């Protein structure tokens, strides 16, 4: 009877293709949906065999009640086992197949503990079945597959990665990250066209270094806003010696902000310096670290206002919690006005000694001459008295 009931359900299910479900014909489960939270789009994969078992096919799975957009339709993928229905839609508030966008704010923790307003955008929705029954009652179970992707909008940029916190809601929730879209580059010109090339002996002190943090392939509803950039002698954002180039509402006089929060790249420049801790070394080497926010275009101006920030404590507490890779090293010359003994040439080392030796020789000769004259005078007087 069980086999007959399964065959009866399959025969009732409208189908547009011959599926190979084998042993996967069963009742739907919460784990039948998987979610991929990408940087430009969100992908859903729903196992089709439980859908067929319930009495539906892929054309009757509707994403967020959007019926008239073919880009929001699901397609069957039989290249995987078990086969799935795939939905893919862009992360764009104006064209996300009816997904709901909700931005929440909370006080920062860890490396972001200095900020009172850390934002996260949550993108959610559901795929529901459309019952083809036209009568008063139906024997088909209503299917509802919920998804949710949470994207933090604050990142520590060292040309690499960031840890993302986890959460779980509805049927399937995933955490996404825009970190792969972000990169930091150094340039030597104000037009940001010539990459900075650092010679082995370092760049000259006070020469301008131009820094750009850029988002590539990022949904166009966000801009890049740098909250803080600092330099440290460690390639990692640890508690080693550091120097703040700028923090909210404050910047070093030698740092110039060119663009921030106005597009999908942020730019500033600073004059090359050296760390006094490295004064006995031929060159001074340090690394840049930038805490960067992705802000909604309509909200970016709010984060530029000082009254939305905590007063920053000049302390690196919490920075060591991040796990990152190093940005490129910046190497500056340690110019010295006087040469050291090792740098001085042979002639310059021997010149003082030569002068001292010559003075001693002249003195000895003078004494000998005086003694000789005195002896000659005494001898002359004795000879004349005889």
């Amino acid at each position: 009877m069980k086999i007959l009931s399964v065959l009866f359900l399959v025969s009732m299910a409208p189908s547009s293709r011959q599926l190979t479900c084998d042993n996967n014909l069963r009742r739907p489960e919460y784990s039948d949906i998987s979610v991929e939270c990408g940087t430009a789009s969100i992908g859903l994969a729903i196992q089709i065999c439980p859908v067929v078992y319930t009495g539906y096919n892929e054309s009757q799975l509707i994403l967020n009640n959007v019926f008239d957009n073919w880009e929001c339709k699901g397609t069957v993928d039989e290249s995987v086992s078990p086969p799935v229905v795939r939905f893919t839609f862009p992360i764009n508030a104006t064209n996300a197949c009816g997904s709901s966008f909700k931005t929440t704010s909370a006080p920062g923790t860890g490396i972001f503990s200095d900020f009172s307003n850390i934002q996260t955008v949550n993108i959610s929705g559901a795929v529901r079945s459309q019952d083809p029954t036209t009568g008063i009652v139906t024997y088909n179970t209503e299917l509802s597959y919920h998804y949710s992707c949470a994207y933090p909008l604050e990142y520590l940029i060292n040309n690499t990665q960031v840890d993302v916190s986890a959460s779980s809601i509805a049927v399937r929730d995933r955490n996404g990250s825009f970190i792969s879209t972000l990169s930091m580059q150094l340039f030597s010109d104000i037009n940001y066209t010539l990459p900075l090339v650092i010679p082995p002996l370092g760049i000259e002190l006070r020469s301008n270094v131009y820094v750009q943090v850029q988002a590539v392939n990022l949904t166009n509803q966000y801009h890049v806003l740098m909250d803080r950039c600092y330099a440290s002698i460690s390639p990692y954002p640890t508690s080693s010696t550091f120097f703040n180039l700028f923090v909210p509402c404050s910047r070093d006089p030698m740092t110039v902000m060119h663009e921030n929060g106005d597009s999908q790249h942020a730019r500033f420049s600073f004059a090359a310096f050296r760390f006094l801790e490295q004064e006995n070394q031929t060159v001074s080497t340090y690394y840049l670290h930038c805490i960067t926010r992705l802000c909604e275009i309509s909200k970016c101006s709010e984060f530029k206002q000082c009254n939305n920030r905590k007063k920053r404590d000049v302390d690196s507490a919490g920075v060591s919690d991040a796990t990152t890779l190093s940005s490129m090293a910046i190497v500056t010359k340690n110019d010295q006005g006087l040469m050291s003994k090792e740098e001085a040439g042979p002639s310059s080392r021997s010149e003082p000694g030569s002068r001292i030796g010559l003075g001693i020789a002249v003195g000895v000769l003078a004494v000998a001459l005086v003694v000789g004259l005195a002896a000659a005078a005494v001898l002359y007087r004795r000879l004349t008295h005889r």
Side-chain angles (χ1 to χ4, degrees):
M1 283 296 294
K2 184 177 180 180
I3 297 176
L4 288 175
S5 63
V6 170
L7 292 176
F8 175 71
L9 285 169
V10 174
S11 65
M12 288 180 59
S15 59
S16 58
R17 63 183 72 235
Q18 193 68 31
L19 290 172
T20 305
C21 285
D22 296 332
N23 299 324
N24 296 302
L25 280 171
R26 56 170 174 75
R27 294 182 181 276
E29 298 176 354
Y30 288 114
S31 59
D32 286 347
I33 181 175
S34 61
V35 181
E36 181 181 355
C37 301
T39 59
S41 63
I42 292 176
L44 311 177
I46 300 173
Q47 292 191 31
I48 185 61
C49 293
V51 173
V52 172
Y53 179 91
T54 312
Y56 303 99
N57 63 23
E58 74 277 5
S59 67
Q60 293 164 335
L61 293 179
I62 309 301
L63 176 60
N64 295 318
N65 292 320
V66 177
F67 295 90
D68 56 354
N69 188 345
W70 66 269
E71 294 180 341
C72 303
K73 302 291 185 182
T75 58
V76 174
D77 181 4
E78 296 186 75
S79 64
V80 296
S81 180
V84 297
V85 179
R86 297 192 184 277
F87 296 84
T88 303
F89 51 91
I91 302 174
N92 189 319
T94 60
N95 182 27
C97 291
S99 297
S100 173
F101 284 70
K102 183 178 180 180
T103 301
T104 58
S105 299
T109 58
I111 62 172
F112 305 125
S113 58
D114 289 332
F115 302 97
S116 59
N117 194 353
I118 300 298
Q119 288 190 315
T120 298
V121 60
N122 185 282
I123 305 172
S124 61
V127 177
R128 292 183 171 89
S129 59
Q130 182 188 23
D131 199 318
T133 304
T134 58
I136 299 176
V137 299
T138 181
Y139 295 95
N140 297 328
T141 302
E142 181 182 9
L143 301 180
S144 183
Y145 300 93
H146 294 259
Y147 65 88
S148 175
C149 285
Y151 292 86
L153 299 181
E154 191 91 4
Y155 297 94
L156 176 65
I157 304 300
N158 293 283
N159 281 346
T160 153
Q161 63 189 44
V162 70
D163 292 333
V164 180
S165 61
S167 62
S168 179
I169 63 173
V171 172
R172 182 67 67 195
D173 177 64
R174 285 287 184 264
N175 293 290
S177 173
F178 292 126
I179 189 66
S180 63
T181 71
L182 297 168
S183 64
M184 179 194 296
Q185 295 174 293
L186 305 181
F187 296 88
S188 59
D189 67 313
I190 196 171
N191 295 321
Y192 293 85
T193 57
L194 301 175
L196 180 66
V197 178
I198 300 178
L201 295 180
I203 59 177
E204 297 289 341
L205 293 172
R206 294 180 175 270
S207 60
N208 286 328
V209 176
Y210 297 89
V211 183
Q212 173 177 271
V213 174
Q214 184 177 21
V216 179
N217 296 326
L218 176 67
T219 174
N220 58 12
Q221 70 184 91
Y222 296 106
H223 281 175
V224 173
L225 176 69
M226 291 182 292
D227 273 329
R228 177 196 178 196
C229 284
Y230 62 98
S232 72
I233 59 177
S234 169
Y236 307 100
T238 63
S239 57
S240 64
T241 302
F242 70 91
F243 174 69
N244 280 322
L245 296 170
F246 65 85
V247 296
C249 309
S250 177
R251 62 178 174 82
D252 178 72
M254 300 297 284
T255 299
V256 178
M257 186 64 67
H258 297 287
E259 183 178 357
N260 197 23
D262 299 320
S263 68
Q264 292 200 339
H265 59 250
R267 294 169 170 175
F268 73 96
S269 63
F270 67 95
F273 55 88
R274 64 183 179 89
F275 278 92
L276 291 176
E277 186 175 329
Q278 299 173 330
E279 63 182 348
N280 293 324
Q281 301 177 19
T282 305
V283 297
S284 177
T285 303
Y286 49 89
Y287 304 83
L288 291 185
H289 314 279
C290 286
I291 294 177
T292 302
R293 178 192 302 272
L294 296 177
C295 55
E296 291 179 297
I297 295 176
S298 60
K299 301 290 185 180
C300 286
S301 58
E302 297 180 9
F303 291 100
K304 296 181 182 181
Q305 300 174 9
C306 297
N307 57 7
N308 282 341
R309 311 299 186 95
K310 287 181 181 178
K311 182 178 179 182
R312 175 174 294 282
D313 181 16
V314 184
D315 188 6
S316 59
V319 172
S320 59
D321 295 338
T323 302
T324 64
L325 297 178
S326 167
S327 62
M328 70 174 290
I330 298 176
V331 184
T332 59
K333 294 181 179 179
N334 272 354
D335 294 333
Q336 298 178 357
L338 298 175
M339 290 185 296
S340 64
K341 290 182 180 180
E342 289 76 16
E343 293 171 328
S347 60
S348 63
R349 288 200 301 266
S350 61
E351 185 176 355
S354 300
R355 290 179 179 177
I356 294 174
L358 180 60
I360 294 174
V362 172
V364 171
L365 289 176
V367 171
L369 179 62
V370 171
V371 172
L373 290 175
V378 171
L379 180 60
Y380 175 75
R381 291 179 63 183
R382 287 180 179 180
L383 292 176
T384 54
H385 284 331
R386 289 180 181 180

